[in-house]
Amino acid sequence: MTEKSMDLHFTADQEAFRLEARHWLTAHVPPAGSLPSLDTAEGFEAHRAWEQTMFADSWSVVAWPREFGGRDVGLLEWLIFEEEYWRAQAPLRVSQNGIFLLAPTLFEFGTPDQQARFLPPMASGAEIWCQGWSEPDAGSDLAGIRSRARRSDSEGGWLLSGQKTWASRGAFAEWCFGLFRTDPEAERHRGLTYFLIDLATPGVTVRPIPQIDGETGFAEIFFEDVFVPDAHVLGDVGQGWNVAMATAGSERGLSLRSPARYTEAARRLVALYASRAGDAKARRLSGDVAQAWMDAEAYRLNTFFTATRVLNGGSVGPEASANKIHWSETDLAIHRTALALLGPDAERHGGHEGNAWLDGYLFALAGPIYAGTNEIQRNVVAERMLGLPRK
Amino acid sequence: MHFAFTEQQLEFQSALRSVLENECTPDHLRAAFADPSADAGRWTTLDEMGVVSLTVPEENGGLGLGLVDLVLLLEEAGRAALPEPLVETTAMAAPVLAALAGRHDRCQRALEALVGGGLKMAVSQSADPLVPVAGALGADAVLMTVVRDGIREIHLVPTNGDGPEVARPEPVSTLDPTRLVGRFTSDPTGSATSIATGDEAERLWGDLEQRAFVATGAFLLGLAERMITITVDYAKDRKQFGQPIGSFQAVKHLLAGAQVKLEFARPCVYAAAWMIDQGDPSAARNASTAKAYASEAATEAARVCLQAHGAIGYTWECDLQLYLKRSWALAEAWGSADDHRQLVLDSLVDEFG
Ligand SMILES: Cc1cc2nc3c(=O)[nH]c(=O)nc-3n(C[C@H](O)[C@H](O)[C@H](O)COP(=O)(O)OP(=O)(O)OC[C@H]3O[C@@H](n4cnc5c(N)ncnc54)[C@H](O)[C@@H]3O)c2cc1C
C-alpha cells in the first residue's frame, strides 16, 4: 500500500459540491445586511425564516445524516460549505448554539429517540437553542454550578431550580441545554447532569439582558421547580461534566468557528485598505493589515491540518484551547485594524448606513471572554500541552 | 485535501532526531562556538543519511525529493541548532546547481561534490556583492546574485582551491560564531563565475528565495520548540516561594502564548513547502507568510524563555543562549517578519484590492 502524500487540493467531487453550494447561495442569500439584527424579536424571526429556507433545500446542516435533514457530507465538505457561506455574506446562524454545539454532543451521547426528537427541528430552525451553563457565581469556575435538579420519582424526571445567565439567544430561544447539580454530596465535577429543557415549561422565567450595543443578545434564566422528564437527560446522570466538555471542545475546536468567517473578513479588510492605500494613515497600518490576513490564513491552514488528523482517526485535545485563543485574537485584530483605517468614521453606528466593522468589533470583543476566557485557555495550554504543574 | 506527512517522512524525521541528539548536543554547540571551523563530522553523517543531497535529482545521485520532504528535517536541524549549512546547501543551492548542471561544468562538478563529497554552500542574501554572507567562511562556494544594468546574474564563487576565480571572504564577527559570516573585500563575480543571467536568473533566484523563506522558517520552528522545551523543564524544576516557578500563572501564560504562536506557524510553513513543490501561483505569498510567522514565533519564544529563566538565562553557562542567538539571527535573515508582511500585503492588494 502506498501511503497518501500531502495534497492541499480538493477533489473534483468536493469542487463540484462547492459549486452546487455557491449556486444555491447566490440564488437565495438575502442582500448583505438586509435582515434586522438577530438580537431583536423581529430579526430573530427573520433569521429563523432564513434557516427554514436553507433547511427546505437541505443546506442548513450539510454534514448531518439525511434522516435529520443533512446531506451526509464529511468534515472537509462542511468546511467548503462554510467558505461559500461566508463568501456569500449570508446571515449569521441564529441556530448556531444548537447546530454547532449541542448537535455534536447529541450525536455522541444522545439516544436514538433523543436524536430523532431534537435534531430535525433544530435543523429547520423550528426550535432554537441556548446554552445554560454560566451562573452568577460560576463563570470561569464552571464546576462551581449551584443550580440544582432534584429527583422526582413519582413524575419520572427532575425538578430544576436556580439561575443561569449570559445565555446567548436566550431572550428568544425555545430550548436550553444546561448543567445542573444532581448530587450535592459528590465531588464538584461529578455531581452534575446535562439537561435538555423546554423553556415553555412552567417555572421558567427569562429576563433578557441588553448587551454592550443595547440589544438583548443574551438573557438570564430563572428556574423554579421546572420539571424535566428523564427522557431529556443527555448522557448519564452525574456525567454532565464529561458530556459538557465534549460540547466545549466543539466550541473551542473545529465546529463553532470555521476559518471562512475570518478569511472573508480579512479579504474585506484588504479591500478597505486598498481603497485608502494612498493615505499616510493606511500606509502606517499596512503591517497590521497583512498580519490580520496572515492570522486568518494561519487559522485556515491549521484547521485543515487538524481536520486531516481527525479524519485519520486522531482527536482534538487541548489544542482546542490554542485554537480558541487564536481565532478570538484574529477576529479582534481584523476588526481593530479596520476601525483604525476608518479613523474618525469608526465611531459611526446604527442609523441608515450602519457600520458593520464596528458591529463586528463589538462582537469580536466578546471572543476572548465566552467559550472559556482566554486566560483559562492559556492555563489549559500551559498545563495540558506543555505539562506545567497545576499547583 | 490531505494535509499530513507520510509515515516515511515522519520516520526520516525521527531518525535525524536520534542522530542529532547524539551528535549535536549543547556540548557540541559549545565546541563549535569555541572553534567554528573545526569539522565535527556531522556533515558527513548527514551526507551518508542522504539528507544533504535530498533535493538533488536521482539521476545526479540524490534522493530527488522536494521541500515537503525536507521541512521536517530542517525543523529537526533547528531543534538541534545545527551549525552546518543544511538550509543553504540543500534547500537553496542544490536545486539551482541541478537546474544548470547540464550546461555548466562548474555546476556539474559542484553538484557531484555535493552528493557524497561534503560540499558546503553559502548563499548571499543581497545583490550587493560586498554585503556579508552567512556561512561564507565555512563554505566551499558561495552562490551570489548581482544585478548589472537591470539584468540579474547568478554566480558560483569558489572560496577555496586555487584558480583566478577563487575569492576568500574575510571574517565578520557575530554574536553566534557558528554563523561563520564572511565578507568579500572586492566584488568576486565576473564572467568566470557567472552561471545564469536574465530571465532564467530571475526565475531561479525568485524560486531560491521562496525556498529560503520556508526553509529558514522551518529551522526557526525547531529552534522555538527547543527553547520552549528547555524552559518548561527548567520551570518544573526551579522552585521559588516553595513551589515550581512553572506553577505561577504569569510564567504559564508567557509560555502558553509562545506555544500558541508556534502551533499556528507550523501549518504555514508546511503548506508553503507544498505549494512551492507544486509550483502554485500563490506560493510566494505563502512563503512570506511562513517566514513572517516563524520569525515571530521564534522571536516570541526567545523573549519569554529568557524571561522565564531569570538571571541564569542571561549567562553563558545556560544552554538557552545557544538557541537564542541563532533565533535572533535567523528571524532577521532572508527578510524579517516586517519585510514579509509588506510582501504579503503587496500581493494581496494586487489580488483583492
Ligand atoms: C457575548 C457572550 C456570550 C455568552 N454566551 C454564553 C452562553 O450562551 N451560555 C453560557 O453559559 N455562558 C455564556 N457566556 C458566559 C461566558 O461563558 C463567561 O462569561 C465566561 O465563562 C467567564 O465567566 P465570567 O463572566 O463569570 O467571568 P469570571 O470567571 O468572573 O472572570 C473574570 C476575569 O477573571 C479571569 N479569571 C477567572 N478565573 C481565572 C483563573 N483561574 N485564572 C486566570 N484568570 C481568571 C477571567 O479570565 C476574566 O478575565 C457568554 C459571555 C459573553 C460575553
Side-chain angles (χ1 to χ4, degrees):
Chain A
M1 198 184 87
T2 58
E3 216 201 334
K4 212 171 156 194
S5 45
M6 188 180 291
D7 184 1
L8 273 62
H9 291 128
F10 293 107
T11 64
D13 282 354
Q14 287 167 336
E15 291 298 351
F17 174 78
R18 176 193 296 284
L19 279 187
E20 199 187 343
R22 184 175 297 179
H23 286 141
W24 188 87
L25 289 163
T26 308
H28 293 85
V29 168
S34 65
L35 300 192
S37 160
L38 86 166
D39 291 327
T40 61
E42 184 199 5
F44 197 83
E45 290 313 316
H47 283 77
R48 189 201 301 275
W50 164 245
E51 293 293 329
Q52 283 163 347
T53 304
M54 282 202 287
F55 178 72
D57 290 339
S58 304
W59 287 108
S60 68
V61 285
V62 291
W64 293 13
R66 290 178 191 281
E67 53 178 318
F68 302 128
R71 292 177 174 246
D72 223 352
V73 300
L75 179 55
L76 294 172
E77 287 78 4
W78 176 70
L79 289 164
I80 290 170
F81 173 77
E82 285 281 304
E83 287 181 2
E84 293 304 316
Y85 193 86
W86 288 95
R87 180 164 299 156
Q89 300 200 45
L92 292 174
R93 305 294 304 267
V94 66
S95 55
Q96 72 162 33
N97 289 307
I99 60 176
F100 294 150
L101 302 183
L102 175 56
T105 314
L106 265 174
F107 283 119
E108 189 174 345
F109 294 95
T111 63
D113 282 350
Q114 288 175 331
Q115 293 176 358
R117 161 65 190 85
F118 292 114
L119 291 169
M122 187 189 293
S124 72
E127 291 177 352
I128 305 235
W129 289 78
C130 65
Q131 179 186 37
W133 289 10
S134 303
E135 298 181 359
D137 289 324
S140 298
D141 188 12
L142 184 61
I145 281 173
R146 293 198 199 148
S147 293
R148 292 263 336 252
R150 277 180 297 112
R151 184 72 206 147
S152 170
D153 278 329
S154 59
E155 292 165 285
W158 299 81
L159 291 169
L160 276 45
S161 56
Q163 181 190 352
K164 295 292 175 182
T165 190
W166 317 129
S168 296
R169 313 286 94 77
F172 308 106
E174 282 83 21
W175 284 78
C176 173
F177 54 96
L179 282 179
F180 289 76
R181 192 162 294 287
T182 41
D183 182 357
E185 308 301 317
E187 188 271 333
R188 285 176 2 124
H189 298 82
R190 295 252 160 74
L192 298 171
T193 299
Y194 200 113
F195 288 97
L196 307 175
I197 309 150
D198 181 352
L199 292 175
T201 316
V204 173
T205 309
V206 174
R207 222 169 62 199
I209 305 174
Q211 290 184 333
I212 204 165
D213 60 359
E215 291 175 355
T216 50
F218 45 36
E220 34 185 6
I221 309 177
F222 299 86
F223 298 84
E224 286 169 89
D225 287 336
V226 173
F227 176 71
V228 177
D230 286 330
H232 295 177
V233 170
L234 183 54
D236 292 334
V237 171
Q239 288 299 309
W241 183 261
N242 294 336
V243 180
M245 286 308 106
T247 309
S250 301
E251 198 167 8
R252 294 164 197 155
L254 277 180
S255 78
L256 180 67
R257 295 283 180 253
S258 77
R261 179 188 197 106
Y262 308 112
T263 50
E264 263 319 303
R267 235 183 258 216
R268 276 182 280 119
L269 176 66
V270 171
L272 176 67
Y273 169 82
S275 72
R276 297 173 182 238
D279 299 2
K281 180 201 280 291
R283 278 200 301 282
R284 280 197 304 278
L285 290 165
S286 61
D288 293 349
V289 174
Q291 185 64 45
W293 181 88
M294 292 194 299
D295 289 344
E297 172 71 355
Y299 185 54
R300 182 180 76 84
L301 294 170
N302 192 59
T303 298
F304 286 117
F305 199 58
T306 308
T308 304
R309 200 172 72 230
V310 169
L311 290 168
N312 289 339
S315 59
V316 184
E319 304 85 19
S321 292
N323 210 47
K324 198 257 156 168
I325 293 169
H326 186 84
W327 63 247
S328 56
E329 291 185 348
T330 295
D331 204 21
L332 267 177
I334 292 171
H335 288 89
R336 195 170 43 225
T337 307
L339 293 187
L341 281 167
L342 291 175
D345 286 339
E347 69 166 323
R348 292 206 334 229
H349 193 238
H352 193 55
E353 292 163 56
N355 179 356
W357 285 115
L358 183 52
D359 286 328
Y361 180 62
L362 290 175
F363 183 75
L365 283 172
I369 300 174
Y370 65 77
T373 70
N374 285 11
E375 289 71 36
I376 297 296
Q377 305 313 320
R378 284 195 181 88
N379 292 347
V380 175
V381 170
E383 289 163 13
R384 292 178 47 211
M385 286 182 83
L386 296 176
L388 289 169
R390 270 169 191 268
K391 280 273 146 26
Chain B
M1 174 67 65
H2 179 80
F3 194 4
F5 292 95
T6 62
E7 274 312 310
Q8 218 179 0
Q9 286 162 339
L10 295 168
E11 276 164 19
F12 206 170
Q13 176 188 27
S14 58
L16 181 58
R17 182 183 299 199
S18 314
V19 166
L20 294 179
E21 272 169 2
N22 290 317
E23 295 195 26
C24 196
T25 63
D27 284 345
H28 288 106
L29 291 177
R30 286 176 189 281
F33 265 48
D35 181 3
S37 57
D39 179 5
R42 276 183 301 265
W43 195 241
T44 310
T45 309
L46 294 178
D47 194 16
E48 285 164 2
M49 289 179 77
V51 176
V52 174
S53 55
L54 185 128
T55 58
V56 174
E58 280 174 298
E59 63 262 32
N60 298 104
L63 295 182
L65 298 175
L67 212 47
V68 170
D69 301 283
L70 188 58
V71 273
L72 293 178
L73 306 179
L74 293 172
E75 215 176 314
E76 284 313 318
R79 194 192 313 274
L82 180 77
E84 284 74 21
L86 188 61
V87 168
E88 291 81 355
T89 305
T90 308
M92 298 190 212
V96 175
L97 297 176
L100 299 171
R103 272 179 291 144
H104 286 285
D105 269 0
R106 273 171 296 125
C107 292
Q108 178 67 33
R109 281 199 305 277
L111 199 60
E112 281 162 14
L114 195 156
V115 182
L119 180 90
K120 290 179 184 163
M121 293 291 303
V123 182
S124 68
Q125 293 179 54
S126 167
D128 175 349
L130 303 184
V131 163
V133 178
L137 294 181
D140 301 295
V142 183
L143 203 57
M144 306 188 74
T145 188
V146 291
V147 179
R148 269 189 257 274
D149 302 327
I151 297 176
R152 186 176 294 280
E153 302 168 4
I154 301 179
H155 294 265
L156 182 62
V157 178
T159 50
N160 57 36
D162 2 80
E165 75 277 20
V166 173
R168 292 189 204 281
E170 67 173 32
V172 175
S173 167
T174 54
L175 186 60
D176 174 349
T178 68
R179 296 274 294 152
L180 287 166
V181 177
R183 168 173 48 205
F184 296 108
T185 47
S186 61
D187 184 352
T189 65
S191 56
T193 57
S194 173
I195 55 174
T197 60
D199 290 348
E200 181 179 46
E202 282 296 345
R203 185 174 48 74
L204 287 171
W205 201 261
D207 291 351
L208 174 145
E209 285 189 330
Q210 288 180 21
R211 295 193 303 275
F213 304 158
V214 175
T216 310
F219 199 98
L220 282 163
L221 295 180
L223 281 166
E225 183 173 329
R226 181 61 169 265
M227 291 187 286
I228 293 173
T229 308
I230 289 174
T231 310
V232 166
D233 288 346
Y234 181 73
K236 287 192 213 168
D237 198 48
R238 162 79 173 168
K239 288 201 174 67
Q240 284 293 278
F241 301 97
Q243 45 184 315
I245 56 163
S247 67
F248 296 124
Q249 200 171 52
V251 172
K252 283 182 182 171
H253 283 196
L254 282 178
L255 288 166
Q259 178 68 21
V260 172
K261 283 218 158 64
L262 173 59
E263 287 287 311
F264 283 84
R266 269 207 184 97
C268 291
V269 171
Y270 301 160
W274 180 84
M275 291 169 80
I276 287 174
D277 283 352
Q278 296 291 309
D280 188 297
S282 300
R285 181 157 78 207
N286 280 79
S288 281
T289 300
K291 179 59 166 66
Y293 243 90
S295 289
E296 292 276 8
T299 303
E300 180 65 1
R303 183 185 76 82
V304 308
C305 290
L306 176 53
Q307 183 65 20
H309 268 78
I312 192 77
Y314 196 70
T315 64
W316 192 264
E317 174 200 332
C318 180
D319 288 342
L320 186 66
Q321 58 122 342
L322 304 167
Y323 307 92
L324 285 175
K325 291 170 181 171
R326 196 74 64 79
S327 308
W328 292 330
L330 292 183
E332 299 301 318
W334 295 98
S336 66
D338 238 1
D339 295 332
H340 284 287
R341 276 191 282 266
Q342 293 307 320
L343 292 172
V344 166
L345 189 72
D346 291 345
S347 111
L348 287 172
V349 169
D350 281 349
E351 187 175 339
F352 308 122

